[in-house]
Amino acid sequence: MKTIFAQKKWVGYLCIMLVVLALFGTKLLYSVDVKLQDRLFKDQGLKEPAIAVIGIDQKSLSKLGPFQYWTRQTMADAIRILNRDPENKPAVIGLDVVYTGASNDKAADDALAKAAAEGGNVVAAAMATYGDTLAGGSGNNLFAKKAVIEYETPYEALEKSCHVGFVNTTLDKDGVVRYAYPSLTFQGQTMDSFSRVILEQYLQKKSLPIPVDKDNRFYISYTCEPDEYYGGDGAGNSFSDIFDPDFDPALFADSIVLIGPFASGLMDSYFTPMNPQTPMNGVEIHANIIQMILEENYKSAVPDWVQALILLLVLALCIGLFHVLDIRVSLGILVLFVAADLFLTRLLFQHGYILSILYTLLAVVLLYVYEVAYGYITERMEKQKIKDTFKKYVDPKLVDKLIISGEANSNAVGTKRHIAVLFVDVRGFTPMAEALKDQPETVVKILNDYLELTSSAVFDNGGSVDKFIGDATMALFNGFVPLDDYVFKAVKAAWDIVQGSTAVNASILEKYGVNVGFGVGVNCGEAIVGNLGPSFRKDYTAIGDTVNTSARLESNAKAAQVLISKEVRDQLDGRINTISLGEITMKGKEPMEIFELTGIINL
């Protein structure tokens, strides 16, 4: 049975391994995994002094009017003010506002283009539109894939007067901005991102290398939370402040100045890993990307095959440990694994590697829960098995007490205990079996009726059936569990057996013409009680001279006769009626006085 349980347990281990690997391979828990990474993987630090954000905020809208009514002259004036002092002007001015197509105010359009051209430091925004395109060959081999289907650049005059980069923000599956594209392809041409173009101008470096994954994306290592670029110690300003008489553009000398929407009504804010409750404005996402590239703070995901191998090793190690260790020690291992996983994945992230947290944690927790559940179920099954077994021999009311005490499944042997032992045997059984040899089912039924009678009498008096030996029954009182007044209860059980056999004997005699009855022997004294036998076959029983004497008394008893020892008679003096039969020499024993029980006085 234990071998079968062990095999089933390893099947369970295998199922957990397959489930965890399948979840990892299919990325079904991707959203949970990345949200966990968001909480633990952060490189929050100080804002780069060279990056400044000027927000088109609510203050700006209040002073300058609704944004949709602004002419491009407003942005042209802002650029001229920022570039007023050629010796202290910004290194780059990034406009996170898309100016596509000509407006109704040609003069304003020309003014913005001229301001950008005169400054020589402006990067304007383009916008890519994604959709499905056909690819993969011709005919029936065509399939749809995501690609850029439209690329909107600034109006012609502005595009010719400045540099351009796309400002698209890429949302992950759960709507969080975690990745960005350094470039994209449209109609065979490569277009660089807004952040990349700004840095190329700032660093005066063409084709700035940015490591990407297999999908041409890079992970955004955020440094600052929402509003930190905009509101930190004068490093960011309201767009309307530019037009104040006391505004000093030298504050942004040689800096990267990003101008973009900050008012909530302009609909340019997104959730990021930095703060799951507070959205970040798009212009600040660009600021984070720019700082990341400046610091070369790149992160790359550990290849899936490496993560799968790590997952397999963790599973194998935990299975090996949980299988052999105590459940309480396993809990410590679980805590240790969780702590180590969180520490190591965080350490790897700081060194530029992104490793999944969820699946290793899930694997360890599932294995521990399985170990606990398996242990609980098998323990319950074992207890039920013990209970079912002992109910055949012990009063069912006492079984639970026996299991709780631990004696039912104990390997302890040699416990010395004072007990009362009852042996009862069917007299005339052999002639009856011979007379009914052609009716074996009848013999079995008759025997079961007798054994039912003896067991009930034993149970009713608090005793325990030790074993059935053919047509004989051995019972213990104070053997399996403690029992008050156990000597009297053993004698009482013997008397009940003899008295109850009258009706059964009469029925047998009438049906089969066979006269049978019970011979009973009762003795008390010290005996060794416990789970005796080899490891593969235990038998909870009692051994010793007390048991042997009881068996000898029973073998000398006639039908419907109960024989007891002098020790029993002395203990129950005044509570039972007896007749001395004098000294009798029994097999293997010195001559001893025995008594026949004739009645019970104290009921």
Side-chain angles (χ1 to χ4, degrees):
M1 184 63 73
K2 288 185 178 180
T3 302
I4 295 175
F5 282 163
Q7 291 174 349
K8 289 182 178 179
K9 188 175 185 180
W10 283 101
V11 170
Y13 285 144
L14 179 60
C15 289
I16 291 175
M17 291 181 69
L18 293 176
V19 167
V20 173
L21 289 172
L23 289 173
F24 173 75
T26 58
K27 299 295 189 288
L28 287 178
L29 299 178
Y30 175 80
S31 294
V32 180
D33 191 24
V34 291
K35 286 186 184 300
L36 188 58
Q37 292 177 21
D38 292 346
R39 298 296 297 271
L40 298 174
F41 294 170
K42 291 182 181 180
D43 271 344
Q44 188 169 358
L46 298 176
K47 182 190 78 65
E48 168 58 50
I51 302 173
V53 169
I54 296 178
I56 302 173
D57 54 9
Q58 195 61 47
K59 177 182 175 182
S60 302
L61 301 183
S62 298
K63 283 190 174 184
L64 304 175
F67 184 72
Q68 64 267 31
Y69 297 131
W70 290 11
T71 69
R72 292 170 180 174
Q73 184 68 52
T74 304
M75 189 61 71
D77 292 343
I79 293 173
R80 283 197 172 95
I81 294 171
L82 288 169
N83 289 330
R84 185 167 55 199
D85 182 0
E87 298 299 322
N88 291 293
K89 70 178 185 179
V92 183
I93 300 174
L95 305 181
D96 187 16
V97 180
V98 180
Y99 293 108
T100 59
S103 72
N104 294 327
D105 190 339
K106 186 176 184 303
D109 291 354
D110 292 342
L112 178 56
K114 185 177 180 181
E118 290 175 349
N121 59 351
V122 175
V123 175
M127 179 68 70
T129 302
Y130 285 87
D132 291 332
T133 61
L134 295 178
S138 59
N140 294 329
N141 293 325
L142 291 175
F143 60 90
K145 73 171 185 178
K146 288 285 184 183
V148 178
I149 59 174
E150 186 178 357
Y151 192 75
E152 297 181 273
T153 59
Y155 61 96
E156 186 177 357
L158 180 60
E159 185 176 9
K160 288 181 178 179
S161 63
C162 63
H163 301 279
V164 178
F166 63 87
V167 292
N168 292 68
T169 300
T170 304
L171 301 181
D172 212 344
K173 294 177 182 179
D174 57 352
V176 176
V177 180
R178 296 187 183 90
Y179 293 89
Y181 291 93
S183 62
L184 53 81
T185 301
F186 177 66
Q187 295 181 347
Q189 291 187 317
T190 299
M191 312 296 182
D192 287 333
S193 69
F194 185 64
S195 305
R196 187 175 197 173
V197 173
I198 287 174
L199 280 169
E200 286 176 349
Q201 301 311 307
Y202 180 74
L203 299 173
Q204 295 296 299
K205 186 175 183 179
K206 292 294 183 182
S207 302
L208 185 69
I210 299 175
V212 295
D213 61 15
K214 59 183 177 59
D215 297 316
N216 192 41
R217 307 177 307 171
F218 62 86
Y219 180 84
I220 303 174
S221 299
Y222 289 89
T223 299
C224 296
E225 294 208 24
D227 294 342
E228 285 191 28
Y229 284 103
Y230 168 69
D233 298 329
N237 292 271
S238 170
F239 182 78
S240 62
D241 293 342
I242 296 176
F243 303 98
D244 289 346
D246 58 349
F247 176 74
D248 183 8
L251 179 66
F252 304 104
D254 299 320
S255 296
I256 297 172
V257 175
L258 302 176
I259 301 175
F262 248 78
S264 58
L266 299 181
M267 306 294 289
D268 191 39
S269 60
Y270 311 88
F271 289 103
T272 67
M274 293 301 288
N275 193 318
Q277 284 80 40
T278 305
M280 180 181 289
N281 291 288
V283 66
E284 284 201 303
I285 294 177
H286 293 304
N288 272 285
I289 294 173
I290 290 169
Q291 178 162 343
M292 180 198 78
I293 299 174
L294 274 176
E295 296 175 350
E296 297 186 349
N297 184 20
Y298 301 116
K299 312 292 183 187
S300 59
V302 175
D304 283 351
W305 71 268
V306 175
Q307 297 202 55
L309 181 59
I310 293 172
L311 192 54
L312 274 173
L313 291 174
V314 169
L315 282 163
L317 182 58
C318 287
I319 287 172
L321 291 174
F322 290 170
H323 183 65
V324 299
L325 295 177
D326 178 82
I327 200 69
R328 288 166 294 185
V329 179
S330 295
L331 178 59
I333 297 294
L334 169 66
V335 174
L336 182 63
F337 260 104
V338 170
D341 185 45
L342 297 178
F343 173 78
L344 290 175
T345 48
R346 173 64 186 163
L347 184 64
L348 285 171
F349 182 79
Q350 291 174 337
H351 285 79
Y353 299 98
I354 304 172
L355 186 65
S356 170
I357 310 173
L358 176 66
Y359 298 100
T360 47
L361 292 178
L362 181 64
V364 177
V365 171
L366 279 179
L367 284 172
Y368 179 76
V369 170
Y370 171 71
E371 195 71 29
V372 172
Y374 184 88
Y376 174 77
I377 292 171
T378 52
E379 182 180 354
R380 288 293 300 269
M381 291 176 65
E382 187 66 21
K383 284 187 176 181
Q384 189 60 47
K385 177 186 172 185
I386 294 170
K387 183 180 289 188
D388 292 342
T389 300
F390 269 81
K391 279 182 178 178
K392 300 173 184 176
Y393 309 106
V394 185
D395 183 353
K397 294 179 291 185
L398 300 178
V399 174
D400 289 334
K401 294 181 180 179
L402 190 61
I403 293 174
I404 292 172
S405 72
E407 291 188 69
N409 201 32
S410 172
N411 289 320
V413 296
T415 301
K416 182 178 283 189
R417 185 176 297 171
H418 193 280
I419 63 174
V421 184
L422 179 151
F423 272 87
V424 56
D425 185 53
V426 181
R427 297 292 182 258
F429 179 76
T430 301
M432 180 193 71
E434 182 62 28
L436 301 174
K437 61 183 179 181
D438 295 329
Q439 303 177 52
E441 67 282 356
T442 301
V443 175
V444 172
K445 184 181 182 308
I446 294 171
L447 181 57
N448 284 340
D449 287 344
Y450 276 115
L451 297 181
E452 182 74 27
L453 171 63
T454 60
S455 299
S456 296
V458 170
F459 291 164
D460 289 346
N461 287 281
S464 308
V465 174
D466 181 277
K467 61 173 64 72
F468 298 114
I469 311 168
D471 59 333
T473 302
M474 174 182 170
L476 304 179
F477 292 78
N478 201 47
F480 289 174
V481 288
L483 181 66
D484 294 333
D485 203 14
Y486 52 90
V487 177
F488 176 77
K489 290 178 180 177
V491 173
K492 177 65 167 53
W495 185 253
D496 290 346
I497 290 172
V498 171
Q499 296 301 308
S501 66
T502 303
V504 177
N505 291 339
S507 175
I508 298 299
L509 182 60
E510 180 182 351
K511 289 181 180 179
Y512 308 108
V514 179
N515 190 17
V516 293
F518 286 111
V520 188
V522 180
N523 186 32
C524 66
E526 298 284 348
I528 297 174
V529 181
N531 261 333
L532 307 179
S535 59
F536 56 85
R537 178 65 172 88
K538 294 291 186 182
D539 186 16
Y540 197 97
T541 189
I543 59 174
D545 184 66
T546 298
V547 178
N548 295 335
T549 300
S550 179
R552 298 294 180 264
L553 289 169
E554 174 269 310
S555 64
N556 282 272
K558 301 174 182 177
Q561 186 178 43
V562 178
L563 298 184
I564 63 175
S565 64
K566 188 175 186 301
E567 288 77 3
V568 172
R569 190 264 181 194
D570 290 345
Q571 282 208 31
L572 302 180
D573 187 28
R575 301 178 66 187
I576 59 175
N577 292 325
T578 60
I579 298 174
S580 175
L581 301 182
E583 289 191 348
I584 297 178
T585 301
M586 296 183 291
K587 183 179 179 181
K589 305 289 293 180
E590 294 292 328
M592 59 179 292
E593 184 179 13
I594 63 174
F595 297 82
E596 178 183 355
L597 179 68
T598 59
I600 301 291
I601 298 174
N602 185 357
L603 298 180

